[in-house]
């Protein structure tokens, strides 16, 4: 090792101390370290902490005189998994590690919320490659020994030491996959991971106006769509004779008309789409072929429909394949579309493919089928696809357009208050889907009613508790916690807790209060003070206070609709986890305040006089219905997952209801550490309810609104549960069996009124559809066309409203040291998305170093990284590439400050697309001069 390398290691030792846990590499360093030194380092970690141990390790390391110790140290880093640190030391370039600092600061700030909302065991498989193997093992061990909150705290500690440059993005993807609420707070620069665009490296290159979509999944809402149960789906190829009403629904589409098929849940709309598909593919003459695309918004429906279509059509010799957000990275969308007759897609896949040119136009398809087509509105992917279709239609293109079919149980009427407004709303949906036919069952209504039973609907208004001592005690704790949070703001004096959010008149125990907490926490992520340590302290405190307020708010909601005991258990579990984790001074204070009230809360929750009247009424309904029909099958809908758990416990502990053996079905998203069902778990729950006669009740959230087909279900109970007219029709559609009933149970008269309005709106919708079906088809088509033309004018106008480029010359200064870099007049745009600087003057402003990961992409060959040339700065400015025959720098705007020459005002930009200066295209002729 040279003296220079020893000096460099001393110079960069702060980076090493922040990242390295020396105990992970000691076994590899045994040839150079004495046994007592190894024990001393281990003891330092146990007694004082990891950073102190790393500091001691470096002290011993730099004192070594033996040959080969430096290479041995690098090899030890590589073996242990410290790849980022290894590369940084080998090249003496710590820019990549330095760029992670902002994410470390953000994670420190968000730690209180992370540990209360993230289940580390769920995301560990996704993020493990960005941690050391021993760290992963330690996280699991802490989860087992001390609980999930302590495990989450350990995971944060490990991320703060991670040297892998993409750990922030991978954490974001893992949180998105688990649909964690924490994902809303964890904001990172979304790299182009799932879309094939012309970029060289997502952390070094900036592209103009490229929209990134990470995934297709949202909370699972559709688990089945065909009228046969899941156990029969795999045998759908068995010849099935279509019912007359199904043939009636398919008729307009078979005639080649763009059609919305509106029919009740459970009537077999998927089978109707199979009939339409088969007829469509067989109509083409010899030498021509059709190509069908079927869209399913939710991933579970995509999986199920892909299976249904494969089983049905592959026996007929047609090729079926699918692409979803979960599989798009591993397959070529273009090849899948080219090589198959029927393609099942989640719609964002096609939106992305049209945007980046993978699919040139919709003319490659001859038939498009939109499942749950009532979603075609605003910025939904369905509407993005149809914008493309309508631009082609109205733009005078001679290319043929595909036939369009929409499937839905309810087209809805939006906010319409009259039949005329409802007709207009439905016409706009038809215009969005370019349809002028709405197919409903009219001629075979009796047959349909034999198959799909419309349950009787009952409204039960019950009284709430006359006095609620539990709520009084918890509300007092919430007021105290709010006061503590306000005192933090009083220290600053420039902002108030009320001023941080526009949400006013928030009440404890409401969704509005939850929204206020989210707003405050988001504001904390961008809160800044000159003193960064003080900023970190204040933000951490605010996150702790708001996290506790959220738990109290959750408990009040449980108390309102279930037992006080369940609400108290929820809080006791939370505080047990808090104690097992870091348990700092603020947490100790908040826990002490809760424990002071615990005895009183225990007493109140055990008092029989405080029993929830709603539960008495729910118990009466269930006992009555199972007395009349012991074989009844029930779905109980509730608003939140916490209520699902609370009502399951209540039924199991109630001697009069425990025979029901409740199952649960919730969404896949994570609202806290202990909720969210995986897709296999959802399927198991459904299968158990369908096939296990002992499980007589399924307690579900809105995940069960759409797509569940359980023909035997004869009782639906909506427990404080109401939505719009579409949700009402779909939820009621869960009750399929003859003589089925639907109860709405609530203590809120407004809820009953809202449901009655939905019933009125349903009638208005049906009347409006009937009216439209009497229109002359040419008149309907003209109405649709006029709406499309109007909407396109508005869309084009909105699309063309672009900021006027500022033609005034500006300076670009190094963001770190403010050294002059270049003028905007010298910037050129390469292939619409990369930015270079022409002229020899700029070359004197930067220094370059060979790129550690050189690679080629298109016409670009990435060769070096460029840095500010000012001594002691070396801020990362971008990269140096060979573009065709030219050697050019490519800069990233986030590395610079933009200064107005006239006023001296300075501004920061994160994206080139946000910087509206006059952008001059790169010209090879200019370079040759």
């Amino acid at each position: 090792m040279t003296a220079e390398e020893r000096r460099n290691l001393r110079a960069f030792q702060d980076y090493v101390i922040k990242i390295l846990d020396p105990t992970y590499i000691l076994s590899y360093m045994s040839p150079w370290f004495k046994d007592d030194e190894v024990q001393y380092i281990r003891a330092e970690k146990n007694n004082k902490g990891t950073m102190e141990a790393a500091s001691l390790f470096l002290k011993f390391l730099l004192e070594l005189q033996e040959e080969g110790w430096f290479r041995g140290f690098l090899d030890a880093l590589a073996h242990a998994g410290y790849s980022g640190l290894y590369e940084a030391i080998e090249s003496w370039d710590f820019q990549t590690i330095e760029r992670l600092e902002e994410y470390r600061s953000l994670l420190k700030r968000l730690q209180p919320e992370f540990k209360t909302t993230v289940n580390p065991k769920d995301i560990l498989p996704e993020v493990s490659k960005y941690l050391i193997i021993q760290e992963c093992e330690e996280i699991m061990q802490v989860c087992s020994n001390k609980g999930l909150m302590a495990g989450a705290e350990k995971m944060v500690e490990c991320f703060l030491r991670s040297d892998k440059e993409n750990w922030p993005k991978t954490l974001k993807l893992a949180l998105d996959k688990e649909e964690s609420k924490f994902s809303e707070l964890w904001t990172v620069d979304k790299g182009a991971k799932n879309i094939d665009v012309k970029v060289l490296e997502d952390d070094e290159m900036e592209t103009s106006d490229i929209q990134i979509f990470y995934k297709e999944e949202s909370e699972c809402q559709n688990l089945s769509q065909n009228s046969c149960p899941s156990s029969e789906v795999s045998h759908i190829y068995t010849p099935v004779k279509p019912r007359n009403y199904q043939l009636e629904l398919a008729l307009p589409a078979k005639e080649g008309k763009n059609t919305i098929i509106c029919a009740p849940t459970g009537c077999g709309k998927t089978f109707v789409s199979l009939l339409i598909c088969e007829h469509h593919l067989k109509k083409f003459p010899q030498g021509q072929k059709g190509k069908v695309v079927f869209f399913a918004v939710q991933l579970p429906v995509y999986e199920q429909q892909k299976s249904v279509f494969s089983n049905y059509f592959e026996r007929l010799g047609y090729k079926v394949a699918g692409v979803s957000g979960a599989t798009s990275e591993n397959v070529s969308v273009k090849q899948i579309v080219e090589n198959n007759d029927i393609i099942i897609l989640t719609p964002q896949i096609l939106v992305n493919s049209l945007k980046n040119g993978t699919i040139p136009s919709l003319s490659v398809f001859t038939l498009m089928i939109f499942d749950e087509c009532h979603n075609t509105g605003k910025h939904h992917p369905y509407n993005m696809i149809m914008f493309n279709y309508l631009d082609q239609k109205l733009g005078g293109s001679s290319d043929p357009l595909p036939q369009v079919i929409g499937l839905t149980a309810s087209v809805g009427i939006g906010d319409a208050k009259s039949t005329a407004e409802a007709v207009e709303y439905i016409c706009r949906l038809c215009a969005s889907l370019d349809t002028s036919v709405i197919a409903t069952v009219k001629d075979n209504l009796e047959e349909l009613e034999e198959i799909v039973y419309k349950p009787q609907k009952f409204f039960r208004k019950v009284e709430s508790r006359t006095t609620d001592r539990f709520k009084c005690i918890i509300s007092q704790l919430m007021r105290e916690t709010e006061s503590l949070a306000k005192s933090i703001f009083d220290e600053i004096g420039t902002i108030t807790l009320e001023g941080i959010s526009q949400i006013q008149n928030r009440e404890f125990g409401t969704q509005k209060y939850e929204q206020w907490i989210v707003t405050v926490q988001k504001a904390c992520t961008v809160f800044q003070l000159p003193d960064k340590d003080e900023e970190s302290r204040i933000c951490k405190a605010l996150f702790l206070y708001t996290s506790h307020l959220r738990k109290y708010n959750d408990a009040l909601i449980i108390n309102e609709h279930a037992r006080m005991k369940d609400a108290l258990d929820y809080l006791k579990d939370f505080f047990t986890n808090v104690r097992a984790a870091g348990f700092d001074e603020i947490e100790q204070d908040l826990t002490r305040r809760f424990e002071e009230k615990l005895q009183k809360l225990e007493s109140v929750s055990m008092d029989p006089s405080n029993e929830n009247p709603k539960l008495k009424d729910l118990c009466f309904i269930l006992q009555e219905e199972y007395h009349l029909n012991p074989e009844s099958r029930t779905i109980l809908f509730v608003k939140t997952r916490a209520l699902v758990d609370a009502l399951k416990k209540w039924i199991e502990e109630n001697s009069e209801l425990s025979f029901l053996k409740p199952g649960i079905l919730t969404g896949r998203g994570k609202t806290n550490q202990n909720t969210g069902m995986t897709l296999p778990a959802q399927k198991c729950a459904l299968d158990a309810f369908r096939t296990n006669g002992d499980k007589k009740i399924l307690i579900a959230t809105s995940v069960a609104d759409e797509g569940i087909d359980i023909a035997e279900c004869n009782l639906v109970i909506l427990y404080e549960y109401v939505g719009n007219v579409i949700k009402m029709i779909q939820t009621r559609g869960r009750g399929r069996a003859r003589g089925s009933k639907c109860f709405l149970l609530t203590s809120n008269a407004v809820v009953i009124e809202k449901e009655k309005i939905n019933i009125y709106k349903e009638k208005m919708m049906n009347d409006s559809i009937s009216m439209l079906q009497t229109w002359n088809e040419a008149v309907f088509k003209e109405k649709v066309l006029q709406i499309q033309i109007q909407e396109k004018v508005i869309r084009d106008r909105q699309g063309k409203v672009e900021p006027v480029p500022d033609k005034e010359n500006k300076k670009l200064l190094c963001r770190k040291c403010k050294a002059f870099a270049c003028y905007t007049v010298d910037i050129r745009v390469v292939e619409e998305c990369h930015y270079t600087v022409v002229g020899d003057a700029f070359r004197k402003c930067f220094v370059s170093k060979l790129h550690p990961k050189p690679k080629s992409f298109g016409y670009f060959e990435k060769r070096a990284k460029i840095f500010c040339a000012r001594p002691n700065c070396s801020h990362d400015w971008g990269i140096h590439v060979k573009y065709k025959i030219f050697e050019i720098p490519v800069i990233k705007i986030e590395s610079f400050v933009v200064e107005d020459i006239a006023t001296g005002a300075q501004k920061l930009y994160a994206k080139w697309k946000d910087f509206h200066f006059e952008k001059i295209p790169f010209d090879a002729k200019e370079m040759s001069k």
Side-chain angles (χ1 to χ4, degrees), residues 759-804:
I759 291 171
Y760 169 71
K761 285 188 171 184
E762 181 188 4
K763 182 179 183 303
M764 191 190 297
M765 180 190 75
N766 291 331
D767 290 346
S768 301
I769 291 173
S770 297
M771 184 182 297
L772 286 169
Q773 287 171 333
T774 65
W775 284 18
N776 178 281
E777 195 167 328
V779 173
F780 199 164
K781 280 186 176 179
E782 182 59 28
K783 170 74 172 175
V784 162
L785 179 61
Q786 290 306 313
I787 293 173
Q788 290 172 344
I789 292 169
Q790 292 166 12
E791 292 292 322
K792 179 167 171 52
V793 170
I794 295 169
R795 196 161 64 246
D796 289 347
R797 191 180 299 142
Q798 290 172 338
K800 288 174 183 174
V801 176
E802 294 181 1
V804 177

Side-chain angles (χ1 to χ4, degrees), residues 695-715:
K695 289 197 175 293
K696 298 179 183 295
I697 188 168
L698 185 69
I699 309 172
T701 56
S702 61
V703 66
D705 260 0
E706 302 175 12
I708 296 180
D709 292 284
I710 307 163
E712 298 79 12
C713 178
N714 64 308
L715 180 61

